[in-house]
Amino acid sequence: MQVLKDKIQAEGVVIQNSLLKVDSFLNHQLDPELMMKLGEEFALRFKNNKVTKVLTIESSGIAVAIMVGLALKVPVVFARKKKSAVCNDEVYSTTVYSFTKKESNYVTVSKELLATGENVMIIDDFLANGEAALGLTHIVEQAGANVVGIGIVIEKSFQPGAEKLKSAGYRVESLVRIKSFSNGQVNYV
Ligand code: 5GP
């Protein structure tokens, strides 16, 4: 997706040839117009899949996920990493190891928000080792719902996440796919 590549070129910062910092438009400050375009692109790719719910994980997936939900006219749920004081509901849960924070998070979704038979589209900002996306598929499966696909804003194809998800049978749609970083530059697949 060219508009996203242009934004990465203009504002992305490569860190130690392994991480891409995109705090100015995706991970800290948010560019609403760009978020809307990303959401519309995902919605277009999944328009024939009868999506009933968008599922993401807090916090960086939420901005894009809500735009997908708006475009598809379906609700958006985010998996929580911290226990909520007002949530005494029964929950689906899994453990996700965070690539960037190097820690495990116990993540939950209230059972009230995910019903058996739903068609769920999973959204996340980055795909690296696939831990976050796989964790979300486990939650969907606990609910007896279907994963119609996994939408990723930035796939780092040199890490094993995409292959892992595809070999588990999931459809992965990434808006840009990074082959490598070299000398602070981003090289696409
Ligand atoms: P995974 O679970 O696929 O190993 O890693 C994906 C998660 O780690 C994403 O939700 C994202 O928050 C974070 N992440 C992985 N790689 C990067 C990166 O290069 N840049 C940023 N900003 N976040 C990343």
Side-chain angles (χ1 to χ4, degrees):
M1 196 182 177
Q2 195 56 46
V3 66
L4 180 56
K5 287 185 179 173
D6 292 345
K7 193 74 170 174
I8 292 170
Q9 173 70 26
E11 297 181 21
V13 179
V14 176
I15 297 169
Q16 292 173 345
N17 283 338
S18 80
L19 284 172
L20 182 63
K21 185 174 178 205
V22 287
D23 278 4
S24 69
F25 61 94
L26 184 62
N27 284 158
H28 196 2
Q29 171 170 264
L30 300 166
D31 178 335
E33 268 182 64
L34 180 67
M35 294 303 110
M36 178 75 99
K37 285 180 188 151
L38 305 183
E40 284 168 349
E41 177 64 25
F42 282 126
L44 193 65
R45 296 188 191 195
F46 285 89
K47 71 177 190 311
N48 296 323
N49 292 92
K50 298 188 167 62
V51 174
T52 61
K53 201 150 280 179
V54 176
L55 177 66
T56 187
I57 183 165
E58 67 176 354
S59 56
S60 296
I62 296 176
V64 180
I66 197 164
M67 295 306 184
V68 180
L70 183 66
L72 290 173
K73 297 188 170 45
V74 297
V76 179
V77 174
F78 61 89
R80 283 182 158 147
K81 289 180 183 162
K82 295 217 166 67
K83 212 171 174 344
S84 159
V86 294
C87 180
N88 292 319
D89 308 339
E90 289 219 47
V91 293
Y92 300 114
S93 65
T94 190
T95 302
V96 170
Y97 181 75
S98 166
F99 177 75
T100 45
K101 302 203 173 93
K102 311 282 180 225
E103 64 184 23
S104 286
N105 283 297
Y106 174 72
V107 306
T108 60
V109 169
S110 167
K111 287 188 177 177
E112 283 182 356
L113 300 178
L114 213 46
T116 304
E118 289 217 66
N119 290 328
V120 181
M121 180 175 170
I122 290 172
I123 292 285
D124 205 8
D125 58 342
F126 275 86
L127 179 57
N129 291 328
E131 287 275 320
L134 269 177
L136 293 176
T137 68
H138 295 149
I139 282 183
V140 176
E141 278 150 18
Q142 286 169 43
N146 315 305
V147 176
V148 301
I150 299 167
I152 298 292
V153 178
I154 301 173
E155 174 188 311
K156 296 194 293 181
S157 310
F158 57 90
Q159 290 186 249
E163 271 319 304
K164 237 190 260 177
L165 293 171
K166 285 177 195 165
S167 52
Y170 297 110
R171 172 181 170 195
V172 179
E173 291 284 342
S174 303
L175 300 185
V176 298
R177 299 173 64 218
I178 295 174
K179 183 172 65 180
S180 63
F181 296 123
S182 51
N183 306 319
Q185 292 300 305
V186 178
N187 309 305
Y188 293 97
V189 171

mmCIF file of all heavy atoms in Angstrom, residues 38 50 54 63 71 87 145 156 184:
data_model
loop_
_atom_site.group_PDB
_atom_site.id
_atom_site.type_symbol
_atom_site.label_atom_id
_atom_site.label_comp_id
_atom_site.label_asym_id
_atom_site.label_seq_id
_atom_site.Cartn_x
_atom_site.Cartn_y
_atom_site.Cartn_z
ATOM 1 N N LEU A 38 -6.286 2.941 6.048
ATOM 2 C CA LEU A 38 -5.882 1.557 6.338
ATOM 3 C C LEU A 38 -7.126 0.717 6.635
ATOM 4 O O LEU A 38 -7.266 -0.418 6.162
ATOM 5 C CB LEU A 38 -4.921 1.506 7.534
ATOM 6 C CG LEU A 38 -3.648 2.358 7.474
ATOM 7 C CD1 LEU A 38 -2.783 2.118 8.710
ATOM 8 C CD2 LEU A 38 -2.838 2.115 6.219
ATOM 9 N N LYS A 50 -18.398 -11.808 5.341
ATOM 10 C CA LYS A 50 -19.445 -11.780 6.366
ATOM 11 C C LYS A 50 -18.881 -11.603 7.783
ATOM 12 O O LYS A 50 -19.273 -12.306 8.726
ATOM 13 C CB LYS A 50 -20.300 -13.053 6.297
ATOM 14 C CG LYS A 50 -21.047 -13.232 4.984
ATOM 15 C CD LYS A 50 -22.026 -14.400 5.076
ATOM 16 C CE LYS A 50 -23.006 -14.454 3.935
ATOM 17 N NZ LYS A 50 -22.403 -14.627 2.610
ATOM 18 N N VAL A 54 -14.636 -7.367 14.762
ATOM 19 C CA VAL A 54 -13.192 -7.146 14.617
ATOM 20 C C VAL A 54 -12.580 -7.323 16.004
ATOM 21 O O VAL A 54 -13.107 -6.807 16.990
ATOM 22 C CB VAL A 54 -12.908 -5.730 14.076
ATOM 23 C CG1 VAL A 54 -11.403 -5.477 14.013
ATOM 24 C CG2 VAL A 54 -13.540 -5.541 12.699
ATOM 25 N N ALA A 63 -6.590 1.614 17.127
ATOM 26 C CA ALA A 63 -6.894 2.717 16.199
ATOM 27 C C ALA A 63 -7.287 2.192 14.818
ATOM 28 O O ALA A 63 -8.278 2.637 14.229
ATOM 29 C CB ALA A 63 -5.682 3.640 16.093
ATOM 30 N N ALA A 71 -15.836 0.855 8.769
ATOM 31 C CA ALA A 71 -16.034 0.588 7.338
ATOM 32 C C ALA A 71 -16.922 -0.638 7.121
ATOM 33 O O ALA A 71 -17.727 -0.660 6.185
ATOM 34 C CB ALA A 71 -14.685 0.396 6.656
ATOM 35 N N CYS A 87 -14.853 -5.280 35.503
ATOM 36 C CA CYS A 87 -15.148 -6.466 34.705
ATOM 37 C C CYS A 87 -15.095 -7.715 35.583
ATOM 38 O O CYS A 87 -14.037 -8.258 35.856
ATOM 39 C CB CYS A 87 -14.150 -6.596 33.546
ATOM 40 S SG CYS A 87 -14.452 -8.026 32.511
ATOM 41 N N ALA A 145 -15.898 -19.453 17.770
ATOM 42 C CA ALA A 145 -16.123 -18.563 16.621
ATOM 43 C C ALA A 145 -15.081 -18.874 15.540
ATOM 44 O O ALA A 145 -14.178 -19.674 15.754
ATOM 45 C CB ALA A 145 -16.016 -17.109 17.085
ATOM 46 N N LYS A 156 6.723 -7.872 9.253
ATOM 47 C CA LYS A 156 8.171 -8.022 9.101
ATOM 48 C C LYS A 156 8.403 -9.465 8.642
ATOM 49 O O LYS A 156 8.456 -10.395 9.442
ATOM 50 C CB LYS A 156 8.864 -7.704 10.424
ATOM 51 C CG LYS A 156 8.650 -6.230 10.832
ATOM 52 C CD LYS A 156 9.578 -5.785 11.934
ATOM 53 C CE LYS A 156 9.270 -6.498 13.226
ATOM 54 N NZ LYS A 156 10.121 -6.078 14.343
ATOM 55 N N GLY A 184 19.547 1.462 8.141
ATOM 56 C CA GLY A 184 18.467 2.377 8.498
ATOM 57 C C GLY A 184 17.382 2.498 7.442
ATOM 58 O O GLY A 184 16.447 3.276 7.587
#
